[in-house]
Amino acid sequence: MSLWFKTGAGVADTMPCMRPTQLPHPDRRPVRPPTATQLRVASIQMACELGNPERNLLRATALIEDAARQGAKLVLLPELMPGGYTLTEQIWDTAEPLHGPTRGWLSALCRRLGLYVGTTFLEADGADFYNTFILVDPKGEVSGRVRKSPPASFEAYFFRAGGDTHWFDTPLGRIGVGICFENALYERYLELHAADIDLYLRPFSGASFEAKFPVRQCDVDMLNGALRDGTAETARSMGIPVLMSNKVGRLVTALPAGFPSQDIEFPGFSAIADSDGALLAQLESGAEGVVVGTVTLDPARKQVQQAPNTHGRWTARMPWWSIIWLLTQKLGERSYQRSASRRERASRASMSEPLL
């Protein structure tokens, strides 16, 4: 998949992985109020224990209830919240079908509290795994589904890219979704800008790096700064509200293909920014909790012009060694395609009893 773009090129031309029918069409746009509307939203920051969905869902329930008490109508949770995150085959143990336990938990919770709630989980579908985001509405129905595309770096060893559009329509407006690494891709920005989204949801499993070769301290500062400041910067550049939800806690994981193991931290920085770029709230690094804010969905604030393509394939400045992410992604895709174990385990997980 090509990730290089030229400013001013047509969106369908710059995104060869997308079919033209996936792009927004005026006849399919919902009728939206021409004036500004307000929405109370929340972003949750939490530690997620690998392979312990019972604990993770219980903790998330308490935080979502806290958000509801503060008046939130839409709540965002971190990437891969239910099963936790790792870069080994252990992540396959956390997989479930689309209509599995996470969907059942979300449906019951959203009906009880009258909320929209979204998160991603590892979905098993046939012989494949996907990192799948769903937003469930107050009736307990799925408003939209987005599968991460592409997987970030070593993630490609363990799940494949989806083919969904990264936006969908709801009674709240048109919602765009970028899952962690996707938010760094100019490709994703072009898709969401062309779709004229009203609200941008960004679930993360974004970890800090350590200053060990080839990672310099200036690279660590740059990447941490992008996690910390990217919410407000994106809201300002697009003229729409942005929610970012990240994990906290340690990430201890082996890596495939003989790469060195990692023992690093999820720093958090979960935040809410309004459509004028104002940072309404942000959680401190390392702290679990909830941030709540009232955002304004205002068509008059939207930026009509595309942000210029000043960083190649990226939406922001990246370290010189970022090409490693793309190389390991390609290696992972080849390994994933050859894996008989992956096919057997995904098929078994996808056949587990649905929980409706």
Side-chain angles (χ1 to χ4, degrees):
M1 175 175 63
S2 174
L3 297 177
W4 289 99
F5 305 97
K6 296 181 180 178
T7 304
V11 175
D13 294 332
T14 58
M15 288 186 286
C17 60
M18 296 182 62
R19 301 184 301 276
T21 54
Q22 291 179 292
L23 298 177
H25 189 280
D27 294 340
R28 296 196 288 117
R29 292 186 184 277
V31 176
R32 288 177 285 178
T35 56
T37 58
Q38 291 190 320
L39 178 66
R40 190 80 166 160
V41 298
S43 179
I44 286 176
Q45 183 164 289
M46 57 181 287
C48 302
E49 185 176 329
L50 178 63
N52 192 346
E54 293 81 7
R55 182 269 177 198
N56 296 335
L57 297 185
L58 185 64
R59 180 59 179 148
T61 297
L63 292 167
I64 293 168
E65 290 172 340
D66 185 11
R69 284 191 292 270
Q70 297 183 59
K73 299 301 180 185
L74 182 148
V75 181
L76 180 65
L77 292 154
E79 177 189 23
L80 295 174
M81 178 277 298
Y85 188 91
T86 186
L87 292 168
T88 72
E89 291 185 3
Q90 189 178 357
I91 199 170
W92 291 342
D93 296 332
T94 72
E96 58 184 275
L98 181 62
H99 297 288
T102 295
R103 160 67 192 280
W105 168 77
L106 280 172
S107 294
L109 188 69
C110 290
R111 285 194 298 266
R112 176 167 65 86
L113 298 176
L115 299 177
Y116 288 84
V117 180
T119 191
T120 91
F121 63 96
L122 191 67
E123 179 193 359
D125 183 7
D128 285 302
F129 296 105
Y130 299 93
N131 184 346
T132 300
F133 174 90
I134 57 172
L135 183 72
V136 174
D137 68 18
K139 296 180 180 179
E141 301 297 327
V142 175
S143 291
R145 183 201 73 181
V146 172
R147 287 169 167 172
K148 189 172 185 177
S149 177
S153 186
F154 294 105
E155 292 177 351
Y157 282 84
F158 308 109
F159 56 87
R160 69 176 300 175
D164 308 310
T165 54
H166 278 64
W167 55 266
F168 46 85
D169 292 318
T170 76
L172 301 177
R174 178 165 287 173
I175 294 178
V177 178
I179 304 172
C180 201
F181 174 75
E182 291 184 311
N183 298 295
L185 301 176
Y186 191 67
E187 171 190 29
R188 188 63 57 235
Y189 163 77
L190 284 177
E191 179 190 359
L192 296 179
H193 184 275
D196 188 28
I197 61 173
D198 301 304
L199 179 67
Y200 191 175
L201 306 181
R202 294 158 56 112
F204 269 76
S205 291
S208 296
F209 288 81
E210 291 183 294
K212 295 181 180 179
F213 182 82
V215 181
R216 303 164 297 178
Q217 186 59 49
C218 62
D219 300 329
V220 173
D221 296 340
M222 180 193 308
L223 294 168
N224 280 343
L227 276 175
R228 183 187 62 245
D229 304 330
T231 304
E233 290 174 356
T234 302
R236 186 164 46 251
S237 68
M238 298 186 75
I240 58 173
V242 177
L243 277 69
M244 184 275 220
S245 175
N246 195 16
K247 292 184 173 73
V248 290
R250 290 175 65 193
L251 171 60
V252 181
T253 181
L255 295 180
F259 284 84
S261 298
Q262 299 291 299
D263 186 349
I264 52 182
E265 292 286 329
F266 293 113
F269 302 124
S270 301
I272 299 168
D274 206 353
S275 47
D276 61 356
L279 186 65
L280 300 183
Q282 186 164 46
L283 282 163
E284 295 180 0
S285 176
E288 283 193 310
V290 181
V291 286
V292 180
T294 300
V295 297
T296 302
L297 285 65
D298 186 354
R301 290 181 178 177
K302 289 186 179 181
Q303 297 295 329
V304 177
Q305 297 298 318
Q306 290 178 183
N309 179 19
T310 56
H311 302 286
R313 56 170 54 89
W314 310 113
T315 56
R317 191 163 63 95
M318 290 291 164
W320 65 269
W321 45 264
S322 59
I323 188 66
I324 295 173
W325 298 335
L326 305 178
L327 294 174
T328 51
Q329 175 197 325
K330 294 303 179 185
L331 291 171
E333 288 171 352
R334 295 191 188 101
S335 174
Y336 179 92
Q337 289 300 323
R338 293 194 299 264
S339 174
S341 174
R342 177 268 305 172
R343 289 189 289 271
E344 187 276 329
R345 293 180 67 175
S347 297
R348 180 158 28 99
S350 66
M351 294 298 290
S352 61
E353 190 69 22
L355 180 61
L356 300 178

